[in-house]
Amino acid sequence: MAKTSLRGRNTCASVSAFSLDAQPAQLDKVVSRIFRPLFANGSASLIFPSIPRLARLYRLFGKIRRTINPMTFMEAILREILYDSSGYTARMECNRKIHFQPGQYFLGNHPDNVEEILPVPLYPVALLDPMLPLAPCPSNWQAGNRILLRGPFGNGFHLPEESLRVALFDWEGLAHLLVPLMQRALSQQAAVVLYASVPPSNLPPEVEVLPLEALSESFEWCDYLAGVIHRDSLAEFYQATGWKHSLHLPAHAEVLVHTPMPCGGMGDCGVCAVLEKRDWRLACKDGPVFSLHHLEVA
Ligand code: FES
């Protein structure tokens, strides 16, 4: 059973977290500790008997929600396609506001194209755009297309709130996928340097750009390091940087591993497998952002 504090400001969240794995008798005890002072006139006793049943219902709905979520489509209209040296970016108009974390991904389908069966992974390339800008956009998509989106999925970047010196790297022309992370870092007043051969066209002006070859110098000053790379380039990356056994990486060092994700974790197809030191992981569920300290090269 998870140990959950019941004091503090977020009492409702604590009750929810606790009810995930609490036994009914324990749940009664905890809930009574919270509500008894509020219902000192005795009306609380009317509530307590139904709490275990509610907890069971809560767990059931949680399971249903986790199963249904990956299958729920949002319809979007592709309004504009932008092209720069990094490739195509699709700006989508969605009928609702979508919240995501830098590094999370969406799966997109063009349902009117019968040849396009498998969805493609798409990453947001800006935090503050009224439309949803996603890349890399397939070259056969066109403005006006109806796109079915699912997401956001996966684990994004874990930028510590106290980070003030952020170094980012792009190994092969995917730097635009790091722009939401840059914007998040700038919003917490961090200094941000991008090590890349080709900076993205929507690079925030506050971000300094340095050549990729100077990346190892960043270890001396940055307190957070993050990058983006194709999975198939990981071996070449480790060989070129000599990082495989590096003890000098900052404590917080992550990389977004870009790879096909045809089933998005619904079928456990394994196409998106990434090797970590202890085991294989699935980029669609465990990533696409991984700790650089844990990655291994096959
Ligand atoms: S995409 Fe199928 S398991 Fe990850």
Side-chain angles (χ1 to χ4, degrees):
M1 182 180 71
K3 191 173 185 306
T4 309
S5 169
L6 295 171
R7 296 199 191 94
R9 291 169 299 162
N10 202 353
T11 305
C12 290
S14 301
V15 172
S16 306
F18 186 91
S19 65
L20 282 173
D21 55 359
Q23 295 301 314
Q26 293 164 317
L27 193 64
D28 270 349
K29 194 172 150 198
V30 170
V31 173
S32 68
R33 274 176 54 192
I34 298 167
F35 286 97
R36 189 157 285 142
L38 302 176
F39 297 93
N41 60 5
S43 56
S45 61
L46 298 174
I47 299 171
F48 294 153
S50 61
I51 292 293
R53 218 167 302 149
L54 283 177
R56 277 196 292 277
L57 266 179
Y58 178 87
R59 285 198 291 271
L60 180 65
F61 282 131
K63 266 189 198 164
I64 293 172
R65 187 169 48 80
R66 282 194 293 277
T67 310
I68 288 178
N69 257 1
M71 298 188 275
T72 309
F73 287 99
M74 295 173 281
E75 192 166 309
I77 303 295
L78 200 169
R79 288 294 177 208
E80 191 180 8
I81 296 178
L82 309 173
Y83 180 76
D84 68 9
S85 50
S86 310
Y88 296 98
T89 296
R91 294 185 72 225
M92 307 279 188
E93 186 180 332
C94 304
N95 52 12
R96 64 182 169 88
K97 181 114 178 84
I98 297 171
H99 299 278
F100 59 86
Q101 295 300 317
Q104 285 190 304
Y105 71 97
F106 291 81
L107 290 174
N109 266 98
H110 179 202
D112 302 325
N113 182 352
V114 286
E115 290 172 11
E116 196 175 302
I117 301 168
L118 297 174
V120 291
L122 300 160
Y123 303 86
V125 298
L127 280 182
L128 309 170
D129 195 310
M131 291 206 193
L132 181 63
L134 298 173
C137 165
S139 55
N140 61 331
W141 288 10
Q142 293 177 352
N145 283 165
R146 189 170 67 98
I147 304 296
L148 296 182
L149 289 176
R150 287 179 288 147
F153 299 129
N155 293 308
F157 290 103
H158 304 91
L159 173 68
E161 281 179 13
E162 64 281 5
S163 275
L164 292 175
R165 296 178 303 279
V166 173
L168 305 174
F169 65 90
D170 163 39
W171 187 246
E172 50 204 341
L174 294 171
H176 50 326
L177 309 193
L178 296 172
V179 172
L181 180 60
M182 294 175 197
Q183 292 172 330
R184 178 64 54 81
L186 291 170
S187 72
Q188 62 188 46
Q189 313 301 324
V192 183
V193 176
L194 171 68
Y195 294 85
S197 309
V198 187
S201 58
N202 60 340
L203 185 77
E206 301 91 335
V207 175
E208 184 182 355
V209 181
L210 291 176
L212 195 52
E213 297 73 42
L215 177 56
S216 293
E217 293 168 12
S218 69
F219 298 177
E220 289 168 20
W221 63 267
C222 75
D223 53 23
Y224 177 74
L225 174 71
V228 58
I229 191 167
H230 282 280
R231 180 189 54 185
D232 297 342
S233 304
L234 275 171
E236 177 197 333
F237 169 73
Y238 276 109
Q239 201 172 10
T241 56
W243 284 10
K244 189 174 176 189
H245 303 293
S246 175
L247 304 174
H248 307 296
L249 288 173
H252 301 288
E254 301 181 305
V255 65
L256 189 162
V257 179
H258 177 45
T259 169
M261 296 192 258
C263 83
M266 280 168 55
D268 283 351
C269 67
V271 168
C272 64
V274 172
L275 185 60
E276 279 199 336
K277 288 199 169 69
R278 292 187 186 165
D279 208 350
W280 287 94
R281 302 278 177 215
L282 298 175
C284 60
K285 286 181 180 172
D286 307 313
V289 174
F290 294 91
S291 166
L292 271 167
H293 295 279
H294 297 163
L295 279 185
E296 184 59 282
V297 181

